[in-house]
Amino acid sequence: MTVNLKRLAGWALIIGTIVAAFGYLAANLLAPGSGDEVFRYHLWPLFEGIAIGGNVIIVLGLPVILTFAGRAPKLHIVGYVGIAAALLMLDIGEGVIEAFVKPYLVDHGGIPTDEPTGFTIFGGVALLSLVVGAICLGIAVLRARALPWWIGVALIVSCLLGALGLPGAWFILPDDVFFAVLFAIGVYAVRDRSEVATSNVVEPAAV
């Protein structure tokens, strides 16, 4: 019996995106108020923690992107590295601060208005990785033609929407588009029948 790692990674993307999207939507739509007030919502750490868990699962399944490289392997690698770095730095690293540190600070002296210089650089590198990774992967998908063209377009659109800085609850729309793309990639990985999940070999009887 052999395990089909491609399908397993595809399921990780599907489950991870559902869990992460639920966590972010619940936290941002149910939390009352705006700005730093959202960190006083008693369920904020729970929902953000769920989102972080979903992102960890996504990172585990993300290498499946490379199996669709086709005619654009280098762009796929750049896209994968950029997106993986952004997920680790923003959604997981900074997500821990958003989920557990800021809710504590808001009731213990308040959240500092000026972020440390190192943290600003950290965020800038993460955002640059996300932009470069998403655009390169979007172009790679369009060139490789191993996945539907709209997946590549949606990746690029998610970056453009993020750059617009949408107001209010709309600011999570780029993340939702991005998660929808990863969900779709996971579905195509799971549906791929080019590899067999289990193999049973029957030896011919000796005559």
Side-chain angles (χ1 to χ4, degrees), residues 56-72:
V56 171
I57 299 174
I58 291 173
V59 170
L60 294 176
L62 198 62
V64 76
I65 290 174
L66 300 176
T67 64
F68 296 102
R71 296 182 298 177

Side-chain angles (χ1 to χ4, degrees), residues 11-146:
W11 277 115
L13 285 186
I14 292 172
I15 296 172
T17 51
I18 292 175
V19 172
F22 167 78
Y24 286 131
L25 285 173
N28 289 279
L29 296 180
L30 298 179
S34 60
D36 292 350
E37 290 299 317
V38 299
F39 299 117
R40 289 193 168 93
Y41 180 45
H42 67 286
L43 292 179
W44 179 270
L46 171 63
F47 291 139
E48 286 288 307
I50 291 174
I52 293 170
N55 282 301
V56 171
I57 299 174
I58 291 173
V59 170
L60 294 176
L62 198 62
V64 76
I65 290 174
L66 300 176
T67 64
F68 296 102
R71 296 182 298 177
K74 293 182 179 179
L75 275 177
H76 267 80
I77 292 174
V78 174
Y80 163 73
V81 172
I83 290 176
L87 285 170
L88 289 170
M89 297 172 73
L90 289 177
D91 291 23
I92 297 176
E94 188 176 352
V96 171
I97 297 175
E98 295 279 334
F100 307 111
V101 178
K102 289 187 176 180
Y104 174 82
L105 291 177
V106 74
D107 290 324
H108 295 80
I111 300 173
T113 55
D114 297 327
E115 295 180 344
T117 303
F119 190 77
T120 303
I121 296 174
F122 176 87
V125 172
L127 288 174
L128 179 61
S129 299
L130 177 60
V131 171
V132 173
I135 292 178
C136 286
L137 185 60
I139 296 173
V141 169
L142 294 174
R143 290 186 58 186
R145 299 180 182 178

